[in-house]
């Protein structure tokens, strides 16, 4: 049926990029706990270490499109994997704040470049009736990577210099991917763009397991004939509806970020802690619970996307997100969450008092201490989920200063009703699941389909830079906004954005299941 073992294997090797990306995004929450105590970093310095990855990603997304269209999708993935290995190697020998920033920027450039190149590469080698499955494989690998990162955070949390092991684990996998990609074929569409028709025909025959791929090659050539005349500025002109397609892509990415998924996840433990979960419950539930839910809900979306269609999944996901967010908002209205001073600046002495192994708590309750500890991970993807927080909390709770508890009876400002506590957790998990079947995987599938081949790399790069840029902006302002208006109102704003994304999908997103990339491009040009 045109999707033989070789096509699947090529897609799976390319999708290792997703695994590496997810791992790097989830990893920092646990690593930062150790790094901050070793280097005695202030809150601002920790935010800079975390966001340096996003700066690298933003930079790569602005420049990566030209690399992908000029040198090819496969070449870009090889470069990205090599850069990830290099960035990780730089981090290991030194314990320096500056080196950490340099290494994290390199890793950011790598994961951003590979995320664009992988989606385009898989979309271009996949047969039309299996494209959804194969492109969504990348998103599935991302969530598996995030889960692996949580597991490694937990495994190395109490190991001396465990953060080095966390960063080092990706090196063999990155090197293996770079080597394996070298032996895979380039994208047939890219070969046609470079006027190498004979090589493209051989690649197609190998991918489809057929002795004659002339028909598909002819379709690709006819669609690319007009397309490779595109310049970057054509993305903003009315020619072939490019401006409208670009606006659809940018708006979709805007909703991926503004429906709040990255932030609710960054601060999941803090949110759960503030609605009544004890620190070790919150950290372990948030990390493994959210990680498992993301993986489990991405699987059906990946498997059934070619039958159901990406548009349907986007509608279902946005609707369920709105319902779960409004529930979360109403629950938090009744709990009176206090987020004040969640990320106040800290002196090295304050940080010293918070290290595991130093059990004295001075000036304030465990809740304050936990809030300041948890928040120092500020901007990381799914930060605050590290079980290390839990363990430190445990040690501090039994506060070995003379064997007496120093937290007193004011550890929680008021007992939260059990029903509300669990309702809050349930709505958070449903929200994560809804994102993982809808906006999570489907937006990137749609983006890999709606642009013409000759300019697909640059178009994807532009939407990707919008993605990283908004991510950075929202991450930097989440705590400030939450302090100003309260968590429940933040949830209500995200509800409005989810409903807006639902309306947008219904009106503007085309249903692309079962269509070839050429058919989609011709249809959208009208």
């Amino acid at each position: 049926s045109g999707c033989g073992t070789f096509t699947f294997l090529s897609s799976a090797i390319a999708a290792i990029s997703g695994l590496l990306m997810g791992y790097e995004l989830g990893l920092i929450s646990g690593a930062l706990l150790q790094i901050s105590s070793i280097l005695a970093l202030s809150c601002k310095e920790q935010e800079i270490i975390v966001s340096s990855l996003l700066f690298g990603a933003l930079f790569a997304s602005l420049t990566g499109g030209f690399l992908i269209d000029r040198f090819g999708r496969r070449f870009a993935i090889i470069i990205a994997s090599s850069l990830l290995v290099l960035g990780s190697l730089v981090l290991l020998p030194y314990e320096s704040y500056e080196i950490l920033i340099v290494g994290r920027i390199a890793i950011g450039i790598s994961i951003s470049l590979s995320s664009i190149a992988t989606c385009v590469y898989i979309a271009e080698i996949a047969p039309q009736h299996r494209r959804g499955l194969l492109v969504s494989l990348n998103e599935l690998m991302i969530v598996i990577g995030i889960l692996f990162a949580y597991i490694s955070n937990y495994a190395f949390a109490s190991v001396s210099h465990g953060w080095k092991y966390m960063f080092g684990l990706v090196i063999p996998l990155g090197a293996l991917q770079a080597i394996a990609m070298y032996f895979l074929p380039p994208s047939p569409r890219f070969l046609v763009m470079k006027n190498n028709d004979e090589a493209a025909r051989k690649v197609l025959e190998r991918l489809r397991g057929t002795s004659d791929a002339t028909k598909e090659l002819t379709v690709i050539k006819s669609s690319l004939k007009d397309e490779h005349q595109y310049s970057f500025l054509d993305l903003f002109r009315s020619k072939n509806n490019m401006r409208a397609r670009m606006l659809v892509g940018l708006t979709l990415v805007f909703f991926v970020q503004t429906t709040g998924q990255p932030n609710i996840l960054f601060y999941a433990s803090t949110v759960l802690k503030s609605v009544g979960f004890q620190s070790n419950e919150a950290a372990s539930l948030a990390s493994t619970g959210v990680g498992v839910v993301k993986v489990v809900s991405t699987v059906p979306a990946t498997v059934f996307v070619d039958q159901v269609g990406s548009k349907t999944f986007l509608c279902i996901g946005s609707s369920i997100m709105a319902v779960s967010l409004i529930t979360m908002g109403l629950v938090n209205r009744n709990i009176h969450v206090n987020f004040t001073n969640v990320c106040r600046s800290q002196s090295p002495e304050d940080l010293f008092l918070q290290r595991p192994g130093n059990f004295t708590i001075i000036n304030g309750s465990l809740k304050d201490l936990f809030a300041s500890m948890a928040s120092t991970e500020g901007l990381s993807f799914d930060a605050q989920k590290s079980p290390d927080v839990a363990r430190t909390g445990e040690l501090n709770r039994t506060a070995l200063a003379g064997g007496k508890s120093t937290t007193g009876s004011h550890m929680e400002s008021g007992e939260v009703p059990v029903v509300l506590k669990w309702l809050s957790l349930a709505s958070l998990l449903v929200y994560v699941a809804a994102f993982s079947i809808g906006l999570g995987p489907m937006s990137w599938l749609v983006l890999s389909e709606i642009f013409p081949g000759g300019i697909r790399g640059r178009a994807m790069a532009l939407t990707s830079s919008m993605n990283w840029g908004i991510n950075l902006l929202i991450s930097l302002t989440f705590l400030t906004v939450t302090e100003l208006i309260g968590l429940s109102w933040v949830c209500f704003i995200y509800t409005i954005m989810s409903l807006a994304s639902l309306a947008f999908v219904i009106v503007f997103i085309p249903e692309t299941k079962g269509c070839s990339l050429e058919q989609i491009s011709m249809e959208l040009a009208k």
Side-chain angles (χ1 to χ4, degrees), residues 70-273:
R70 173 69 58 84
F71 299 107
R73 292 74 163 115
R74 184 187 64 145
F75 179 75
I77 296 172
I78 294 170
I79 292 289
S81 305
S82 309
L83 194 59
L84 183 90
V85 171
L86 202 67
S88 303
L89 283 170
V90 164
L91 292 171
L92 297 186
Y94 307 102
E95 286 179 5
S96 146
Y97 172 63
E98 290 77 16
I99 296 282
L100 271 167
I101 291 173
V102 172
R104 292 294 286 167
I105 288 174
I107 290 168
I109 292 170
S110 158
I111 62 173
S112 172
L113 181 61
S114 68
S115 68
I116 310 164
T118 302
C119 281
V120 174
Y121 179 77
I122 297 175
E124 292 187 346
I125 65 168
Q128 62 195 56
H129 63 287
R130 281 281 172 266
R131 191 175 55 249
L133 169 73
L134 295 176
V135 173
S136 301
L137 197 62
N138 191 48
E139 179 68 21
L140 180 62
M141 293 292 244
I142 291 173
V143 295
I144 292 172
I146 291 173
L147 184 59
F148 278 164
Y150 297 157
I151 293 167
S152 99
N153 284 348
Y154 188 77
F156 296 112
S158 53
V159 176
S160 173
H161 295 296
W163 65 274
K164 292 193 174 188
Y165 297 106
M166 295 177 201
F167 282 123
L169 278 178
V170 292
I171 293 172
L173 194 56
L176 275 173
Q177 189 200 21
I179 295 162
M181 284 303 297
Y182 179 77
F183 294 103
L184 292 182
S187 149
R189 281 174 180 79
F190 176 73
L191 290 171
V192 174
M193 276 163 60
K194 296 298 172 194
N195 297 318
N196 199 343
D197 294 0
E198 189 51 37
R201 190 175 57 77
K202 284 179 179 163
V203 168
L204 276 172
E205 285 169 2
R206 202 171 159 205
L207 287 168
R208 302 289 175 261
T210 172
S211 57
D212 185 23
T214 318
K215 189 179 170 190
E216 189 173 352
L217 184 66
T218 312
V219 175
I220 292 171
K221 280 169 70 176
S222 66
S223 77
L224 284 176
K225 197 164 57 191
D226 308 320
E227 286 176 6
H228 70 261
Q229 274 85 4
Y230 284 119
S231 72
F232 181 70
L233 290 175
D234 286 330
L235 286 172
F236 306 100
R237 296 188 179 125
S238 56
K239 175 182 168 185
N240 287 343
N241 245 354
M242 286 306 296
R243 190 191 300 144
R245 297 194 216 186
M246 198 69 231
L247 283 171
V248 165
L250 291 173
T251 311
L252 196 55
V253 161
F254 172 77
F255 283 126
V256 169
Q257 296 297 333
T258 54
T259 48
Q261 182 80 176
N263 280 334
I264 294 285
L265 289 177
F266 295 162
Y267 301 101
S269 286
T270 314
V271 170
L272 289 172
K273 176 78 172 62

Side-chain angles (χ1 to χ4, degrees), residues 39-90:
L39 299 179
L41 299 176
S42 70
C43 183
K44 184 50 68 186
E45 285 171 330
Q46 292 179 57
E47 287 180 352
I48 289 168
I49 284 180
V50 173
S51 50
S52 58
L53 180 119
L54 295 176
F55 281 117
L58 182 57
F59 169 75
S61 60
L62 292 168
T63 54
F66 295 98
L67 181 74
I68 290 162
D69 283 340
R70 173 69 58 84
F71 299 107
R73 292 74 163 115
R74 184 187 64 145
F75 179 75
I77 296 172
I78 294 170
I79 292 289
S81 305
S82 309
L83 194 59
L84 183 90
V85 171
L86 202 67
S88 303
L89 283 170
V90 164

Side-chain angles (χ1 to χ4, degrees), residues 26-43:
L27 164 84
I28 192 66
S29 62
L32 201 62
L33 285 170
Q34 294 190 359
I35 294 166
S36 61
S37 67
I38 292 166
L39 299 179
L41 299 176
S42 70
C43 183

Side-chain angles (χ1 to χ4, degrees), residues 349-400:
E349 296 89 317
D350 292 334
L351 272 154
F352 176 72
L353 293 173
Q354 294 172 24
R355 291 185 195 177
N358 192 330
F359 306 125
T360 329
I361 298 178
I362 294 172
N363 297 337
S365 68
L366 172 68
K367 188 166 183 181
D368 296 336
L369 178 111
F370 179 84
S372 63
M373 272 176 58
S375 67
T376 50
E377 290 145 279
L379 310 174
S380 80
F381 273 72
D382 317 347
Q384 278 81 297
K385 297 203 190 109
S386 169
D388 201 25
V389 177
R391 294 178 185 180
T392 313
E394 276 294 345
L395 292 167
N396 286 333
R397 216 176 7 261
T398 49
L400 305 176

